């Protein structure tokens, strides 16, 4: 039997889901029902359902945040999202985050729910088979080549299950501790007559310089683990995956040595970008860091860019908080803020959890409640008006959020303030 977890903050929806199907006939059993995202996460951790059917817009933790968290921790878990028309853009985002389907609540019926459930079961079996599979024999001839293959999977945009599997494989190879990625970006624009080079000539040029980088890496990283990843399209960028790195000193030495070699041998310009040093599940952050480094380079090319020097994590939390403060009268989602400051929603959520000890939506709601107190104190606004001004769907939900932080309903708070 497939274990199914249901999550929605509307009791009538939860009740309807439970009674809409003969779950056992479809080979499923309901293992839990949650009224908010945080409770759903706790039940997911405790009961490890095969399938989660959840509302996109829930208190404490949104359905998207729940999906992103579980995609990291439990990549075999399959999600079906419930949504209203106004959250349609979030439903599309959920599909990009590997939800198998989404259902509009207003159109929900037995046939549609059963169809989505069958899709979820098929996807669950597919992920189970992938999890149980092993790499083809003979695919890697050396441990370094195996590490490079799994690091390439980790740094690919697929994320989710593939990233989990890559981390496990790197751990098994002894290459999952104190890891970093180093990007070499080659700019041939200063080479005379480069515009007249054919594509084949450019490829040979980049190949020569990659080999030069490999020679330097073998000398500098002797005693450490390192592997060059297969070159991507265009071949102007080379990525080295390193492990067993204690600090950034070897990376700085590599940059110095390679820059000197490029300067002495050719007019190819070199930029080097380095991520932070990560271990274990922290390796999930490597791809977001690489994407950020690429974006930073595109905005402002520099000879050498290190994660710790140019992109301290606290800056992103501060930028996100500033965005929330300046958009306090709008509906704010982790997707909106992450897009505005140029990082992934999942990475932004992890930064908030690590640095502030709270999830992103907790901060948003606390900030909105603080502003709501100011609006309520002047006595000029009704509760429903404040709720609407702050971007909440309805006054009932706003009241629940307000009471969670202030221990009073908005009406009680307004009356108490008036008595002072």
């Amino acid at each position: 039997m497939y274990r199914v977890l249901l999550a929605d903050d509307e009791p009538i929806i939860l009740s309807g889901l439970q009674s809409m199907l003969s779950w056992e006939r479809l080979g499923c059993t309901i293992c839990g029902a949650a009224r908010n995202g945080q409770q759903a996460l706790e039940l997911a951790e405790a009961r490890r359902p095969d399938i989660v059917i959840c509302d996109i817009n829930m208190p404490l933790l949104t359905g998207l945040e729940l999906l992103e968290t579980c995609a990291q921790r439990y990549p075999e878990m399959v999600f079906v999202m419930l949504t209203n028309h106004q959250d349609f853009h979030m439903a599309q985002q959920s599909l990009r985050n590997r939800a198998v389907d989404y259902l509009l609540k207003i159109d929900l019926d037995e046939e549609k729910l059963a169809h989505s459930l069958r899709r979820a079961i098929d996807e669950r079996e597919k992920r189970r088979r992938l999890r149980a599979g092993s790499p083809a024999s003979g695919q890697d001839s050396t441990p370094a080549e195996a590490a490079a293959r799994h690091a390439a999977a980790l740094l690919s945009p697929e994320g989710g299950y593939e990233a989990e599997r890559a981390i496990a494989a790197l751990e098994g190879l002894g290459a999952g501790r104190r890891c970093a990625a180093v990007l070499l970006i080659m700019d041939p624009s200063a080479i005379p007559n480069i515009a007249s080079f054919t594509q084949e000539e450019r490829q040979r040029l980049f190949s020569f310089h990659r080999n030069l980088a490999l020679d330097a890496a073998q000398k500098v990283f002797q005693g450490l683990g390192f592997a060059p990843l297969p070159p991507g399209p265009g071949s102007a960028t080379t990525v080295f995956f390193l492990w067993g790195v204690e600090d950034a000193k070897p990376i700085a030495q590599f940059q110095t040595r390679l820059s000197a070699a490029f300067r002495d041998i050719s007019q190819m310009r070199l930029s080097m970008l380095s991520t932070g040093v990560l271990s274990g599940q922290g390796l999930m952050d490597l791809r977001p860091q690489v994407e950020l480094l690429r974006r930073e380079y595109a905005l402002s090319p520099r000879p050498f860019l290190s994660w710790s020097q140019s992109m301290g994590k606290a800056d992103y939390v501060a930028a996100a908080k500033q965005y929330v403060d300046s958009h306090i009268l709008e509906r704010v989602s982790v997707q909106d803020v992450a897009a505005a400051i140029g990082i992934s929603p999942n990475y932004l959520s992890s930064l908030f959890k690590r640095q502030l000890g709270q999830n992103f939506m907790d901060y948003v709601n606390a900030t909105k409640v603080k502003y709501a107190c100011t609006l309520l104190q002047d006595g000029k606004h009704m509760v429903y008006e404040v709720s609407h001004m702050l971007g909440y769907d309805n006054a009932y939900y706003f009241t629940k959020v307000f009471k969670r932080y202030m221990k009073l309903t908005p009406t009680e708070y307004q009356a108490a303030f008036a008595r002072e």
Side-chain angles (χ1 to χ4, degrees):
M1 298 287 277
Y2 296 93
R3 295 160 58 82
V4 180
L5 172 65
L6 307 177
D8 198 295
D9 61 329
E10 298 179 69
I12 191 170
I13 297 293
L14 273 183
S15 176
L17 287 171
Q18 290 172 311
S19 60
M20 190 173 290
L21 292 180
S22 173
W23 294 88
E24 288 75 15
R25 194 171 64 194
L26 291 169
C28 298
T29 181
I30 296 174
C31 67
R35 291 285 303 278
N36 60 61
Q38 184 60 45
Q39 185 183 16
L41 179 58
E42 292 168 359
L43 286 173
E45 291 173 337
R47 301 180 185 178
R48 302 294 176 87
D50 299 292
I51 298 164
V52 179
I53 301 176
C54 77
D55 188 9
I56 278 185
N57 197 356
M58 292 187 293
L60 300 185
L61 199 69
T62 70
L64 281 178
E65 290 173 320
L66 176 66
L67 168 61
E68 290 167 357
T69 300
C70 289
Q72 284 190 22
R73 299 179 186 176
Y74 317 114
E76 290 181 55
M77 205 175 286
V78 178
F79 274 71
V80 174
M81 312 304 289
L82 302 173
T83 181
N84 295 310
H85 280 295
Q86 63 266 30
D87 297 324
F88 184 71
H89 66 289
M90 296 174 70
Q92 294 175 311
Q93 176 68 31
S94 74
L95 296 183
R96 289 193 288 270
N97 288 342
R98 300 179 77 245
V100 71
D101 201 2
Y102 67 88
L103 296 166
L104 290 172
K105 292 184 183 181
I106 195 170
D107 296 331
L108 189 59
D109 59 26
E110 179 181 353
E111 182 180 351
K112 289 184 176 67
L113 180 58
H115 177 72
S116 285
L117 189 62
R118 292 188 186 98
R119 287 188 64 185
I121 290 171
D122 289 344
E123 178 64 18
R124 171 64 173 171
E125 285 305 303
K126 176 183 174 182
R127 294 184 190 182
R128 196 197 305 274
R129 288 194 297 271
L130 285 171
R131 187 79 167 181
S134 57
S137 60
Q139 189 168 4
D140 305 302
S141 58
T142 69
E145 288 172 345
R149 181 169 62 85
H150 293 299
L154 178 62
L155 295 174
S156 77
E158 294 300 321
Y161 163 75
E162 287 298 333
E164 288 276 358
R165 184 179 182 186
I167 290 172
L170 289 169
E171 292 279 5
L173 290 166
R177 292 285 180 268
R178 309 292 297 164
C179 301
V182 175
L183 289 73
L184 307 179
I185 299 179
M186 293 177 279
D187 174 10
S189 60
I191 295 176
N193 301 318
I194 187 64
S196 64
F197 280 37
T198 66
Q199 186 62 32
E200 183 180 353
E201 288 171 335
R202 283 174 175 262
Q203 293 291 348
R204 286 202 299 269
L205 182 69
F206 287 133
S207 178
F208 168 78
H209 285 86
R210 277 198 305 276
N211 289 333
L212 195 66
L214 182 58
D215 288 341
Q218 288 172 334
K219 294 179 175 69
V220 175
F221 298 136
Q222 191 172 13
L224 301 175
F226 82 96
L229 273 57
S235 304
T237 302
T238 295
V239 179
F240 282 92
F241 179 71
L242 312 177
W243 63 95
V245 182
E246 291 302 320
D247 52 42
K249 290 180 182 177
I251 298 173
Q253 292 169 1
F254 179 44
Q255 186 269 336
T256 301
R257 187 181 192 110
L258 194 55
S259 293
F262 272 42
R263 188 169 55 249
D264 293 342
I265 294 173
S266 82
Q267 291 174 276
M268 177 77 80
R269 291 172 179 161
L270 171 73
S271 292
M272 183 180 293
L273 294 74
S274 170
T275 70
V277 178
L278 302 165
S279 295
Q281 286 299 308
L283 289 175
M284 282 288 191
D285 288 340
L286 269 184
R287 187 173 67 86
Q289 288 189 14
V290 167
E291 291 173 353
L292 286 167
L293 289 168
R294 290 184 192 276
R295 188 176 295 116
E296 177 76 7
Y297 172 80
L299 292 172
S300 177
R302 305 181 206 178
F304 179 62
L305 213 60
S306 81
W307 175 262
S308 60
Q309 290 173 338
S310 65
M311 287 187 285
K313 297 176 184 178
D315 292 342
Y316 288 99
V317 171
K321 291 167 73 173
Q322 183 177 2
Y323 182 97
V324 172
D325 291 342
S326 61
H327 293 75
I328 196 68
L329 297 181
E330 302 171 20
R331 291 187 63 178
V332 178
S333 71
V334 66
Q335 290 76 26
D336 295 334
V337 180
I341 65 176
I343 62 176
S344 73
N346 187 46
Y347 186 54
L348 177 59
S349 296
S350 69
L351 288 181
F352 262 77
K353 196 68 176 177
R354 283 185 219 154
Q355 292 189 27
L356 303 182
Q358 63 181 160
N359 67 49
F360 175 78
M361 288 311 300
D362 277 340
Y363 176 80
V364 172
N365 284 325
T367 304
K368 283 181 175 286
V369 166
K370 183 178 179 181
Y371 191 76
C373 289
T374 303
L375 296 174
L376 292 168
Q377 286 169 12
D378 65 16
K380 297 178 181 179
H381 304 285
M382 302 294 289
V383 171
Y384 76 88
E385 292 176 323
V386 174
S387 169
H388 179 73
M389 290 169 65
L390 291 170
Y392 287 98
D393 287 335
N394 56 68
Y396 172 70
Y397 176 56
F398 167 66
T399 297
K400 289 199 301 182
V401 173
F402 189 94
K403 188 172 183 180
R404 184 166 72 245
Y405 291 95
M406 301 304 296
K407 311 305 179 188
L408 296 171
T409 67
T411 302
E412 291 168 344
Y413 176 86
Q414 198 170 40
F417 186 82
R419 288 194 297 268
E420 292 180 358

